[in-house]
Amino acid sequence: MLDQFTIATKGGVVLWDKKYTEMAGTPANTLIQTELIPAGGGEQQQTRARRYTTGPYAVQWTFANELNVIFVAVYQKILQLPYMDELLRAVKRHFVRRFEDEIRALGATTTEAGGGAAMVAAFPDFGAFDEEFENVWRAVEERDRRERAAGRVGGTPRRFEDTRKFQTTAKGAMAEMAELAEAKDVAFSDAASGRRQAPRMRAWSGRKGGGGGDAAGKKAKKGAKENRVWGDRVTKEAMAALDYGRSSDAADSGPDERAAAAALVDERAKGTRTADGVYEVADVAERAGEGAAGFVLLDDEEGDDGGDRGSESSSGLLGMFRSLTRGRVLTAEVLAEPMVRMREHLANKNVAAEIADQICQTVAKGMVGVRVGGLHSIRALVEQHMEVALTRILTPVSSTDIIRDIDHTRTHGARRPYTMAFVGVNGVGKSTNLSKVCYWLLQNNKRVLVAACDTFRSGAVEQLRVHVRNLRALAGSDNVEIFERGYGKDSAAIAKDAIAFAAASDFDVVLIDTAGRMQDNEPLMRALAKLVSVNAPDKILFVGEALVGNEAVDQLLKFNQALRDFSGQANPRHIDAIILTKFDTIDDRVGAALSMTYTTGQPIVFVGTGQTYTDLRKMNVAQVIRALLR
């Protein structure tokens, strides 16, 4: 257990301190007097975490050399805390990221005023770091626990008897033979007790040793054999046994089925209702499991093996601009090298290469000709240009209020239903996210018809039946139904019939599920263009994975091209919005969101973050920008 954590300058000024128990002596002061001052605490090799013991305590520390700040952790030396190095690095990252400007200003004040009253008056308030430190500590401990559970860090090594090499030894071979013999004895004992008989033993008992009773049983069984029914005639009993659609009715769903459906809803992930009663999905930054207030543990991009975090990158990617552009007028030549590094950084975040290059050109063009007067102005300048460029790309330029669009269509569209088509490549989660959108619409009291227009993939219709059955059980009503015509049919015709049925039955929304298709499959792309041209959906939603990089650009460009080339209309349609799936699997590699939005100019209306019906989120532009620049 941690006893004390102290953050101080190398001159001995304590910036932040936290004690968890009464301590014997002052281990941190002893460390400075006996280890750091004699060894020269500012040396480059001191940046990594070190360990020192004094009395009953173990002391570990690390430096942020550019800021002349030391981070010290004190705990009982009898404890084994293997995550302490990571805790020191994580606290350093968060503290420097949050208070770098204040620490630099404090250093400048100390130099100019020589300490004294001026320094006391200018001393910043670092008390706001208390809560963030607790979050960092919990996150590091949780990460260490998970890694130990997975056997990756400090796990107990396997015994030699549990390895394959042991099986190749004489002792291992004898042990294996003993296990086989024991298994054989168990099988024979089971057979003797009537629990289980081997096929050979059953055959033997039928031939000899008083098998008359078995023969009589066989004759009786043979005499009871039913006649085979030939032709197309099917009995009512057979039809009832094969009718799996009856269980989809809400009235027929029992308590067990409703309980099973309720397990597909995460109560912690539910959204909120506005003053108007509209149910809104939660923000992507509010997903459960991130700690207090959506806390995210910063990653160390420098790997902590480069020594001085601030020598070239004291604040992530932005630090390299300080060392390259200090006190000069920025020109294209000066910015050439940092822009190359920025392109590499964005590519590592899953941004498509061409898009990363264009964004860097935009940022560089805005910085050329600017005179840089100091470190603080460099950071502010780079952050300003990057945030402006990324915010302009990611901010929606069209309406993302689907509920308002539905109400407007129902009011001014002769009571016709609002139609949404879900398109995309294979395996990205179109049907799953269609069901999440359906749950969201049901929470807003909309009647929804799901059109099963994926007549190509085996099991696609059955998958939607299961979703509709679960959603009806959750809603406790018949506000959601499925419209299907089986397999091998024209998907455009099915969608047209579904829309007509929805209009006649007073449904508010029609969700059209389409077959997954690769962007280079021309026959399937022609079929998709036909579906769009014939039915003119109000919203065409492209469902794409957050895991892809350059592939996202290719998919979107070719889908839009197919809708344009194969539509046969003067004003062809294009993708109207994007749903980004599997967003919970990418950590901070959020480049696909930037690539897709930049390619189409259309907004990301939803983000899929899990497997339950409530795992649907809104895109948080600020969070994406922070992740890209981290």
Side-chain angles (χ1 to χ4, degrees), residues 81-155:
L81 301 179
Y83 62 82
M84 192 55 61
D85 288 348
E86 175 59 27
L87 177 62
L88 285 164
R89 291 192 294 266
V91 172
K92 180 175 71 172
R93 289 193 292 269
H94 282 262
F95 191 81
V96 170
R97 177 66 64 88
R98 183 166 183 174
F99 297 110
E100 181 175 1
D101 293 337
E102 289 83 349
I103 297 171
R104 292 186 184 280
L106 178 63
T109 303
T110 305
T111 303
E112 296 172 1
M119 177 180 172
V120 174
F123 197 83
D125 180 17
F126 297 102
F129 190 65
D130 290 354
E131 183 179 356
E132 187 167 354
F133 175 80
E134 298 293 338
N135 290 332
V136 171
W137 188 9
R138 282 194 295 267
V140 171
E141 280 189 327
E142 178 63 19
R143 176 185 292 179
D144 179 75
R145 185 194 64 77
R146 291 197 305 265
E147 290 178 346
R148 285 178 171 276
R152 290 194 296 268
V153 176

Side-chain angles (χ1 to χ4, degrees), residues 94 131-132 135-136 138-139 283-298 620 623 626 630:
H94 282 262
E131 183 179 356
E132 187 167 354
N135 290 332
V136 171
R138 282 194 295 267
D283 190 271
V284 69
E286 300 171 2
R287 60 180 183 268
E290 287 187 343
F295 176 79
V296 179
L297 187 65
L298 297 179
N620 186 317
Q623 185 201 27
R626 287 195 302 269
R630 185 182 304 162

